[in-house]
Every structure is written in C-alpha cells, then in structure tokens.
Amino acid sequence: MTRELVHRSSVAEVFVTDGARVGDREFVVAAQWPRDHALYHPDENGLSDPLLFAETLRQGMVYVAHRHCGVPLGRRFIGRDLDFEITDPAVLRVEGVPLSVFLVGEWTWDGDDARGRSGARMDFRLVVGGRACGWGTISMLMVDERRYRLLRRLGGDAGEPATLPALTAASGAPRTPPHRVGRLRWRDCVLEETARPDEWRLRVDRDHAVLFDHPTDHIPMMVMLEGFRQLGHLKVHEACDGPFADLSFALARTTVQCLAFGEFDRPTRLVVDECASGARPQETFQLSVSAVQGDTVLARARTAWACVGTRPAAAVPASW
C-alpha cells in the first residue's frame, strides 16, 4: 500500500494494506492494527484504541476513492461527518500478533456539480475473524486545488499553501496530566485547563508526529477527535468517584459533525454541552462537546462510553 493512496507521509501510520471491489458500489478494505502505537495504544484493559477504527475509516475511504472511484491524486479531502460504534470490544483485544481487520463498505456519491461529483459517503462494517464488531460512516468533500482555495477564502482564510513551520499553539495554561485523559505521554495530551469547569483549550502541536503526519493549513479532523476523546475520558472517569472509582470505561460510539475550518492562529475551546450517565454508574455515559473558535462552532461531537471492567493499579505516567 502506497502512502499517497491514504494521504499519509509516514509508512508507520499506514493501516490499510489492501482492498477490492466486490460489487457495483461495494468494497472490502483490509487493514492491520499494530499491537502498540505511540498515540493509539491499547487501553489499561488491553483493548485496541477505538480511534484506530476512526483513522482506518478515513484511510479506507481515501483509498477507495483513489483506487476504485476515479478520484485523482492531488484532490483535497475535507471531512464533513463521522459516526462509528464499537459493538463488541472484546473482539478487539490485543493479543500476541497485530490485529487483522476488514472494512466491508458501500460507496455513495453525494452532490453533483458541473464538472463531476465532489462529495461521497462510505458506510462500513468492521469485521475481525469473521465476526462483526462495529460499524462506521464517513463523508467527505473531494475538491481540486482551485475549489479548495475558494472554500478557504469563504471560511475567512486566504488558504495559503501549508508551508508554515511546525509549532505548538500553547497558551501557557496547565496541560492536563496524561493519566487523566487516558494517555501515556505528556506530549500526547491535547487539553489545557481553563478557569471554567466545563471548558478546556485544545492544544495544537503541529510538531506531533502522528497528529500532524504531514503539513496542513488547518486543524485536522483527527486532532479534533483526539480532543473530544480525551475530554470524554476525563469527564467520564472523574464522574465515577467513590465506590465506583475502580471502574474502567471505553469509548463505544462517536458522532462528529464538522462545520468549519479550524485556524492555527486562533484559540480553540472545547465546551461540554452535556454530560449524562445511565441509571447506574456502570451504564453508558453520554457526552456532548463543541469545538469553538470565537463565535464559530468548528465541530460538534457526541460520545458514548461503556463500562468494560475494572481499572488496574495506577502506573506512574511517562514524563516525556
């Protein structure tokens, strides 16, 4: 699998391995998830990171677009909506070998224009060892460079080429410790604390090797998604205090609606709109979060968290 077909620069970040057309609009995409990963590492119960599924959905659609649906290399892909659910997390437990997964999907064109179709959606089923254990839907716009620049200007940016130097857009506010957001390393924490109890700032580190695998002129969808996930982990686990402090929750479902481009030169706030649990703490938590710059909502996300067991004894987090 070439990196260009999934819009990645690092070979290590390419999860899709192959794919085939099995019908007029039906495709099967094969992928391999690593046993460990710098950012998308297994959780404390040995379950694969759900965002491996999200990234594989993104790569799977980009691959199908280029390899089977006639979308030329060089087109800009703009994420619009993402919805995925892990229905059987036990199947995704990390064992002694990398996990081979299959995405069984259907391609749907969405939005015709004078020079060809520019939008599409893919609906996938996640299959491991012949067993369905999740589903996902992703939709994107696919535009040429001229239209991309027009969209960036309409969004309030000149759309200059992505040649800006890598930097960390940090405010100097305290960064949330990694163990509170389910990460192992300080450099992977994307939340900064603010004075408001239900508001955090998104830390955008353009020198992060995974979140910024290649240069871009706006905040990628996967960076927003990491912020939503980390905030959800923090809110859900800290809500279960007292006698339920040893319970462990995993991200079960995420629905994201992308509404506007996120700019690097403006602070991005993550605002909790709703946090609700089931009748008992062991039941699913629901969390709604908005990513906001000024008065502009960049994206909205709704996540669901399910109890997957108990938490092992706390380990000392890495300091690098």
Side-chain angles (χ1 to χ4, degrees):
M1 174 62 59
T2 60
R3 296 167 293 167
E4 294 80 6
L5 288 178
V6 295
H7 296 188
R8 277 302 195 179
S9 294
S10 172
V11 173
E13 300 306 321
V14 177
F15 302 137
V16 169
T17 58
D18 202 357
R21 182 190 291 269
V22 295
D24 182 41
R25 297 189 297 124
E26 292 76 37
F27 304 88
V28 174
V29 176
Q32 186 183 77
W33 292 353
R35 294 169 61 190
D36 202 357
H37 188 272
L39 179 63
Y40 303 129
H41 52 78
D43 69 9
E44 55 201 4
N45 290 287
L47 301 177
S48 294
D49 191 324
L51 293 201
L52 278 175
F53 184 26
E55 173 61 16
T56 306
L57 288 171
R58 187 198 67 78
Q59 291 189 19
M61 180 170 186
V62 173
Y63 166 79
V64 169
H66 288 315
R67 183 68 178 83
H68 296 288
C69 293
V71 178
L73 293 173
R75 287 290 171 93
R76 297 277 197 150
F77 282 60
I78 304 168
R80 295 191 296 181
D81 299 287
L82 177 67
D83 191 1
F84 67 92
E85 182 177 14
I86 304 293
T87 56
D88 192 352
V91 179
L92 303 179
R93 186 171 300 280
V94 176
E95 302 291 353
V97 296
L99 193 66
S100 295
V101 306
F102 293 91
L103 301 183
V104 181
E106 181 178 66
W107 176 280
T108 303
W109 286 107
D110 177 22
D112 295 337
D113 57 38
R115 296 195 302 170
R117 293 158 169 162
S118 60
R121 185 186 78 248
M122 285 210 76
D123 300 293
F124 286 109
R125 286 185 294 117
L126 176 63
V127 179
V128 177
R131 186 170 163 183
C133 55
W135 59 267
T137 296
I138 183 170
S139 64
M140 297 185 183
L141 288 176
M142 300 161 289
V143 297
D144 59 26
E145 197 66 24
R146 184 188 68 83
R147 293 186 180 186
Y148 180 76
R149 297 298 174 205
L150 177 60
L151 287 172
R152 294 296 279 125
R153 285 196 295 271
L154 291 174
D157 184 84
E160 295 300 322
T163 57
L164 296 172
L167 58 85
T168 299
S171 66
R175 201 185 327 174
T176 306
H179 69 276
R180 292 183 64 196
V181 296
R183 300 296 86 198
L184 299 177
R185 307 183 302 175
W186 279 95
R187 69 182 306 169
D188 296 330
C189 301
V190 300
L191 297 186
E192 292 180 351
E193 298 179 9
T194 70
R196 299 182 179 181
D198 284 326
E199 184 175 301
W200 279 257
R201 174 169 166 163
L202 182 68
R203 184 176 186 272
V204 181
D205 181 1
R206 288 176 11 226
D207 199 31
H208 195 284
V210 177
L211 294 175
F212 288 89
D213 169 78
H214 54 273
T216 178
D217 65 357
H218 64 275
I219 302 174
M221 178 177 67
M222 291 303 295
V223 177
M224 298 276 193
L225 192 56
E226 182 64 28
F228 295 143
R229 180 263 288 279
Q230 291 190 17
L231 183 51
H233 185 280
L234 183 150
K235 294 292 289 184
V236 168
H237 283 90
E238 295 192 357
C240 282
D241 206 349
F244 301 103
D246 62 339
L247 295 181
S248 180
F249 291 81
L251 182 63
R253 182 174 180 180
T254 299
T255 302
V256 179
Q257 182 184 21
C258 299
L259 303 171
F261 289 103
E263 309 299 346
F264 289 127
D265 59 351
R266 304 170 193 168
T268 302
R269 296 175 292 119
L270 299 183
V271 182
V272 176
D273 300 315
E274 180 187 8
C275 183
S277 66
R280 298 177 301 167
Q282 297 95 325
E283 297 179 355
T284 301
F285 273 78
Q286 303 284 341
L287 186 76
S288 296
V289 182
S290 297
V292 183
Q293 286 187 338
D295 296 327
T296 302
V297 178
L298 307 179
R300 290 191 175 96
R302 185 169 182 83
T303 59
W305 297 74
C307 182
V308 292
T310 57
R311 310 186 75 174
V316 178
S319 60
W320 53 279

